[in-house]
Amino acid sequence: MSFLWALIVGGIIGWLAGLITGRDVPGGIIGNIIAGFIGSWLGSAIFGSFGPVVGGFAIIPAIIGSIILVLIVSFIMRKMRGSHKHA
């Protein structure tokens, strides 16, 4: 049951990061969950674990890390689309 809760919270974190940045996470719901998990890891690695913890995620670093991840992925996707236009 805790794994299901972690999937839900990870998806919400990824979705919030997409909303805050105004960019879509590729992959829909699965992409949101992945962005939430990887973003949580990234945020905890950079900022440590502080603030409220829900579903095993320290919410504040997880959201910040997910925002960073979404911005990086959207930048890479934009560059890839741009390079295909000139080929």
Side-chain angles (χ1 to χ4, degrees), residues 49-76:
S49 294
F50 64 91
V53 176
V54 178
F57 297 98
I59 297 298
I60 296 169
I63 291 174
I64 295 170
S66 294
I67 289 170
I68 293 169
L69 180 70
V70 167
L71 290 173
I72 291 170
V73 169
S74 66
F75 175 77
I76 291 170

Side-chain angles (χ1 to χ4, degrees), residues 8 17 23 28-30 38-40 47 49 51-52 54-55 60 62 65 70 74 80 84:
I8 292 168
R23 305 181 194 296
I29 294 171
I30 302 299
I38 296 174
S40 174
F47 303 109
S49 294
V54 178
I60 296 169
V70 167
S74 66
M80 288 175 62
H84 289 300

Side-chain angles (χ1 to χ4, degrees), residues 13-35:
I13 290 170
W15 173 72
L16 283 173
L19 279 179
I20 291 169
T21 60
R23 305 181 194 296
D24 288 329
V25 176
I29 294 171
I30 302 299
N32 283 335
I33 293 170
I34 293 169

